[in-house]
């Protein structure tokens, strides 16, 4: 608990951590809108209010993903065909890559994904407070506040997918297409052949080690998608572990 926050919000009825989450939320929301003029139709106060109603006063292990429906419906977001980038177990490498170029868009490059990225939050039954510590962890319970948010936001992101979509998967782990991941359980299931033309997997590998595009889990991925949807897979050496640092960027950019 920060005394500075208590002081500056002395007249507020909410707890300091409620105020700090709200402040972080609104500040990030406004910063995003400043930098992304296409989202200027959004109202950060309205978005906050739709967001907080999902979990305030609820058991933090009992927040279904549908609780975030009002949030998702409040946000105005243009779809960007052919440039959407999905990922699983490659968060760092994906963002090292997308930071440097605007051509690919991840969920964290959209308004809600940008705001919530890196944050933890939850409420408590019979309380109007918001907490940022002591919240259940990712695997502590299925319907936890944070996990349900990412499930719901990922569902909306995948529903908006159109044209050629890309997924960056981790070739250094035993199961690059992990059946329990959000990518497998939520996103892939929502790619509809009527809108999505193709799925290109970029399998990030350490030099010539690890899994290849023939991996059984990637065969499962191929079986999972609608037959009309084109599928391809390319193994690309990890740009940060090989001398040819340009390789990943070049291979990805080639697709555009
Ligand atoms: O379970 P995952 O990966 O397959 O989820 C990744 C998948 C991406 O395509 C994103 O669209 O789901 C979306 N997504 C996020 O954008 C996101 N940002 C931060 C899912 N999870 C996200 N996080 C955090 O990463 C989340 O809080 C949790 O801790 C991880 C899940 O990542 P994963 O298992 O590597």
């Amino acid at each position: 608990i920060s005394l500075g926050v208590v002081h500056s919000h002395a007249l507020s009825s909410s707890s300091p951590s409620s105020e700090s989450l709200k402040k972080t939320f609104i500040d990030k929301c406004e910063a995003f809108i400043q930098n992304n003029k296409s989202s200027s139709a959004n109202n950060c106060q309205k978005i906050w209010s739709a967001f907080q109603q999902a979990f305030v006063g609820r058991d933090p292990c009992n927040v279904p993903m549908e609780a975030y429906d009002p949030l998702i419906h409040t946000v105005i977001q243009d779809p960007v065909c052919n440039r959407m980038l999905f990922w699983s177990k490659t968060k760092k490498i994906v963002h090292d890559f997308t930071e440097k170029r605007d051509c690919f868009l991840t969920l964290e490059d959209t308004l809600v994904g940008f705001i919530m990225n890196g944050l933890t939050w939850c409420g408590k039954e019979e309380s109007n407070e918001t907490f940022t510590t002591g919240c259940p962890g990712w695997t502590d319970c299925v319907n936890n506040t944070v996990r349900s948010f990412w499930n719901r936001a990922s569902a909306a992101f995948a529903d908006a997918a159109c044209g050629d979509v890309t997924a960056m998967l981790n070739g250094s782990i035993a199961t690059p297409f992990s059946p329990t991941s959000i990518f497998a359980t939520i996103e892939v299931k929502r790619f509809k052949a009527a809108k999505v033309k193709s799925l290109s997997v970029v399998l990030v590998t350490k030099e010539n080690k690890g899994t290849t595009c023939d991996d059984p889990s990637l065969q499962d991925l191929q079986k999972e998608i609608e037959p009309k949807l084109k599928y391809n897979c390319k193994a690309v050496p990890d740009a940060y572990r090989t001398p040819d640092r340009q390789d990943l960027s070049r291979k990805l950019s080639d697709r555009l």
Side-chain angles (χ1 to χ4, degrees), residues 86-89 91 107-108 138 150 154 181-183 187:
F86 296 83
W87 53 266
S88 189
K89 321 292 175 197
K91 191 175 183 195
L107 177 52
E108 292 84 357
W138 192 257
W150 287 110
S154 302
S181 64
I182 295 186
F183 180 64
E187 293 175 329

Side-chain angles (χ1 to χ4, degrees), residues 171 176 203 205 208-216 218 233 235:
L203 185 66
T205 56
N208 293 319
K209 290 197 281 280
T211 24
T212 66
C213 283
D214 302 326
D215 184 76
L218 296 176
C233 175

Side-chain angles (χ1 to χ4, degrees), residues 225-246:
I225 60 173
E226 292 180 4
K228 278 203 178 133
L229 223 148
K230 286 203 182 102
Y231 170 89
N232 71 76
C233 175
K234 264 184 210 165
V236 175
D238 183 336
Y240 293 87
R241 272 181 253 267
T242 64
D244 187 7
R245 286 167 158 260
Q246 301 304 311

Side-chain angles (χ1 to χ4, degrees), residues 94-156:
V94 162
H95 293 110
D96 285 346
F97 171 77
T98 53
E99 252 171 38
K100 295 189 204 92
R101 48 199 64 236
D102 279 339
C103 52
F104 283 99
L105 215 91
T106 65
L107 177 52
E108 292 84 357
D109 301 311
T110 69
L111 182 56
V112 285
F114 174 79
I115 298 172
M116 301 327 291
N117 192 25
L119 304 184
T120 301
W121 66 95
C122 63
K124 195 167 96 179
E125 260 178 311
E126 286 160 43
S127 160
N128 55 15
E129 283 180 89
T130 303
F131 302 91
T132 53
T133 56
C135 297
W138 192 257
T139 54
D140 288 343
C141 44
V142 183
N143 283 331
N144 71 71
T145 321
V146 174
R147 188 167 174 164
S148 291
F149 165 81
W150 287 110
N151 281 339
R152 185 62 188 90
S154 302

